[in-house]
Amino acid sequence: MATPELKKLFGQRHCDECVLHPLCKPPLVGIEEIERLSGSVLARRPLERDSVLFRAGEPTRSVFISQNGSFKTVAINEAGDEQVIGFYFPGELIGLEGLGDGKFRADAVALELAHVCEVPLPALERVAGQRADFQRQMMRAMGEGMARHQDHLEMLGRKQAQERLAMFLHGLSERQGRLGRDPLQLHLAMSRSDIGSYLSLVIETVSRGLSKMQDEGIIAVKGRHLRVLSPQRLQALAHGDEA
Amino acid sequence: MATPELKKLFGQRHCDECVLHPLCKPPLVGIEEIERLSGSVLARRPLERDSVLFRAGEPTRSVFISQNGSFKTVAINEAGDEQVIGFYFPGELIGLEGLGDGKFRADAVALELAHVCEVPLPALERVAGQRADFQRQMMRAMGEGMARHQDHLEMLGRKQAQERLAMFLHGLSERQGRLGRDPLQLHLAMSRSDIGSYLSLVIETVSRGLSKMQDEGIIAVKGRHLRVLSPQRLQALAHGDEA
DNA sequence: CGATGGCTTGATACTGGTCAATATGGGTGG
DNA sequence: CCACCCATATTGACCAGTATCAAGCCATCG
């Protein structure tokens, strides 16, 4: 849907994939509105694996959308230990937490080669002020962000490691599906230790959990490639229906 | 600061305390803007303890601000078990999660007698569309909501029950202070089991943890009244600095 | 005054964290 | 192109912390 003009204005390549996100979904913002901020909306160079998109504490001047490539956000507490707070896939807004007090609350790190689109806040606010529908989309995007956090909280609320893992995989699968890809074929862009940090489990427990699911014939794992063999049983596990 | 006119327009009583929140803080929105939506912004009757402000699944037509009295939000998963997702104190926006897909994601329940101010979404959007500063405040409020979720995530990330509890109390203390009250004098509006659910601990562990802190002279607890005796040690505990 | 719900305290079992050894595999340099 | 190497992941043995089960306490309310 990304029209040639839209592509040109937003920067360049890959916006076709970005269509997924409400922000980019036409006819959200007409060309003429985009025009008005074309000076400030700019595309970004590719970010390679492990490179940092923004750091906790930095003033929030923009939010970001990955066009392709996934990210993690990592919070570092005063004790110095890291915790993975979220994973972001193409089309999802990154950095919304920073809108609270104007500073990012976590580091954002590319999990693989990625291309992000940077949206400066002034531009965001300007368009939002002029287009009620766009403003609603922004709210919606933030609401979705909060909803994802809530899902994460519910994951951590489950006491059984196996259930958390199952919820995690199930969630990945869903998101994968929404991206139009095969929901049963997961490429884990993140390391085991990222997963562990995200689920508040040590890496050994993650590993054991995956092995167990594999033994039970629910999934097939090989390194960072994972195939869901029985979505039903995976979901059941996620809901704590069985051991 | 709530001028008499403002009071009248918004409904009535207690808006003085609401001043705490950016949304209500003048001169955020001028009287004339308020005027335009005075028809739709309305105050609410008191809600007594345990009464439900909204339920998960209901369409989000409004968000709410408690003028006095605290709330909890409770998510119920498909397995049927409840989990406390958040606590809300006067001046904090409740229901923002609903902006994502237009449905509330959790039940909101009054922990004590409360008075809430209901802000219909159309009104919110209308003013936001007209006043850039108000719109920014909304974003800020949502950002704060996400930040609170992140704090919660960091709490659940700590593996030691004692640390989680300490973080929780420390957080309460801070919020209490921000409300202008004595940060060392906490009235726990929520039950032990609410705390347990929030921290993903069973009620016995919460109880034991509080008792232990009391034995160590960090706090003094009596039922739902709690006094922080040593804020430093509490904070140290929260950061995992010692056992 | 008894009953009820919320909280505390105790004893035991089990899950997951810790420590340690081994395996795997992607990348680099010869 | 192969071999080595280091980072990442898996597996095992053990132990600590918290859930579980159970009993008793305390306060409030009818």
Side-chain angles (χ1 to χ4, degrees):
Chain A
M1 310 258 151
T3 65
E5 293 92 336
L6 212 156
K7 270 192 192 172
K8 195 184 75 201
L9 289 167
F10 254 104
Q12 54 259 33
R13 110 212 75 185
H14 294 137
C15 268
D16 305 299
E17 306 187 19
C18 203
V19 178
L20 311 152
H21 192 86
L23 250 189
C24 297
K25 208 184 287 171
L28 220 202
V29 189
I31 296 296
E32 62 280 6
E33 273 84 7
I34 298 279
E35 196 89 61
R36 220 169 297 146
L37 35 119
S38 61
S40 31
V41 174
L42 40 121
R44 267 217 167 189
R45 295 175 295 327
L47 284 164
E48 45 189 280
R49 189 168 193 269
D50 287 333
S51 55
V52 176
L53 181 57
F54 54 76
R55 284 195 187 283
E58 283 178 11
T60 307
R61 293 190 231 282
S62 306
V63 295
F64 303 87
I65 305 174
S66 172
Q67 298 173 322
N68 57 65
S70 37
F71 284 79
K72 65 176 174 185
T73 48
V74 183
I76 304 179
N77 63 22
E78 43 283 288
D81 25 41
E82 302 188 346
Q83 184 181 357
V84 173
I85 293 297
F87 294 114
Y88 296 83
F89 296 108
E92 299 173 345
L93 272 170
I94 312 175
L96 293 175
E97 292 88 346
L99 298 182
D101 58 355
K103 288 181 195 164
F104 290 116
R105 313 226 343 147
D107 297 357
V109 181
L111 291 171
E112 56 198 334
L113 179 61
H115 297 258
V116 296
C117 184
E118 175 169 3
V119 186
L121 288 195
L124 208 63
E125 289 172 355
R126 219 178 310 141
V127 192
Q130 288 158 10
R131 298 284 311 241
D133 50 358
F134 183 88
Q135 174 197 305
R136 200 171 303 124
Q137 293 285 7
M138 269 305 299
M139 289 220 198
R140 188 184 161 94
M142 297 197 75
E144 280 171 4
M146 299 189 85
R148 262 204 303 281
H149 274 186
Q150 182 168 327
D151 289 341
H152 189 187
L153 285 174
E154 290 182 27
M155 256 180 248
L156 294 184
R158 312 230 121 262
K159 299 208 175 68
Q160 300 299 313
Q162 207 70 329
E163 294 182 30
R164 285 193 220 166
L165 257 177
M167 288 186 80
F168 175 68
L169 295 181
H170 180 249
L172 276 191
S173 175
E174 264 196 342
R175 270 158 107 174
Q176 195 83 334
R178 242 176 278 140
L179 285 179
R181 307 192 196 139
D182 181 357
L184 301 185
Q185 206 76 17
L186 305 182
H187 290 278
L188 306 176
M190 67 294 288
S191 70
R192 297 290 192 271
S193 102
D194 285 335
I195 298 174
S197 174
Y198 184 74
L199 295 178
S200 191
L201 298 171
V202 295
I203 180 176
E204 293 95 326
T205 305
V206 173
S207 191
R208 273 187 256 270
L210 292 176
S211 300
K212 185 138 178 269
M213 285 191 214
Q214 177 158 251
D215 291 346
E216 291 168 347
I218 300 175
I219 60 174
V221 238
K222 181 157 170 75
R224 297 198 172 186
H225 184 259
L226 190 151
R227 233 153 59 85
V228 179
L229 301 177
S230 170
Q232 305 83 350
R233 289 214 285 154
L234 182 64
Q235 183 152 8
L237 236 186
H239 296 351
D241 291 354
E242 54 172 322
Chain B
M1 312 262 144
T3 64
E5 293 93 335
L6 213 157
K7 269 191 194 174
K8 196 183 72 200
L9 290 167
F10 253 103
Q12 53 260 33
R13 113 211 75 183
H14 294 137
C15 268
D16 306 299
E17 307 186 17
C18 202
V19 179
L20 311 150
H21 191 87
L23 250 189
C24 297
K25 209 184 286 170
L28 220 201
V29 188
I31 296 295
E32 62 281 6
E33 275 84 5
I34 298 280
E35 196 90 58
R36 221 167 296 144
L37 36 118
S38 59
S40 32
V41 174
L42 40 122
R44 266 216 169 190
R45 295 173 298 326
L47 284 165
E48 46 189 279
R49 188 165 193 268
D50 287 333
S51 54
V52 176
L53 181 55
F54 55 75
R55 285 197 187 282
E58 284 178 10
T60 307
R61 293 191 230 282
S62 305
V63 294
F64 304 86
I65 306 173
S66 172
Q67 298 173 321
N68 57 65
S70 36
F71 285 79
K72 65 177 174 184
T73 48
V74 183
I76 303 179
N77 63 22
E78 43 284 288
D81 27 42
E82 303 189 344
Q83 183 181 357
V84 173
I85 292 296
F87 294 114
Y88 295 85
F89 296 107
E92 299 173 345
L93 272 169
I94 312 175
L96 294 175
E97 292 88 346
L99 299 182
D101 59 355
K103 288 183 196 163
F104 290 116
R105 313 228 341 148
D107 297 357
V109 181
L111 291 170
E112 56 198 335
L113 178 62
H115 296 258
V116 297
C117 185
E118 174 169 3
V119 187
L121 288 194
L124 207 64
E125 289 172 354
R126 218 178 312 142
V127 192
Q130 288 158 9
R131 298 285 312 242
D133 50 358
F134 183 88
Q135 173 197 304
R136 201 171 302 124
Q137 293 283 7
M138 269 305 298
M139 288 220 199
R140 188 185 162 92
M142 297 197 74
E144 280 171 4
M146 299 188 85
R148 263 203 303 281
H149 274 187
Q150 184 168 326
D151 289 339
H152 189 187
L153 284 173
E154 289 182 26
M155 257 180 247
L156 294 183
R158 315 229 118 262
K159 299 209 175 66
Q160 300 299 313
Q162 206 70 330
E163 295 181 30
R164 286 192 218 166
L165 257 177
M167 288 187 80
F168 175 68
L169 294 180
H170 180 249
L172 276 191
S173 174
E174 264 196 342
R175 268 157 107 175
Q176 194 81 335
R178 241 176 276 141
L179 285 178
R181 306 194 196 137
D182 181 357
L184 301 185
Q185 206 76 16
L186 306 183
H187 290 277
L188 306 176
M190 67 294 289
S191 70
R192 298 290 194 272
S193 102
D194 285 334
I195 298 175
S197 174
Y198 184 74
L199 296 178
S200 191
L201 298 171
V202 294
I203 179 175
E204 293 95 325
T205 306
V206 173
S207 190
R208 274 187 254 270
L210 292 175
S211 299
K212 185 141 180 268
M213 285 190 211
Q214 177 158 250
D215 291 347
E216 290 169 348
I218 300 175
I219 61 175
V221 238
K222 182 158 169 72
R224 297 198 173 185
H225 184 258
L226 189 151
R227 233 153 56 84
V228 179
L229 301 177
S230 169
Q232 306 82 350
R233 290 214 285 155
L234 182 63
Q235 183 152 9
L237 236 187
H239 296 352
D241 292 354
E242 54 173 320

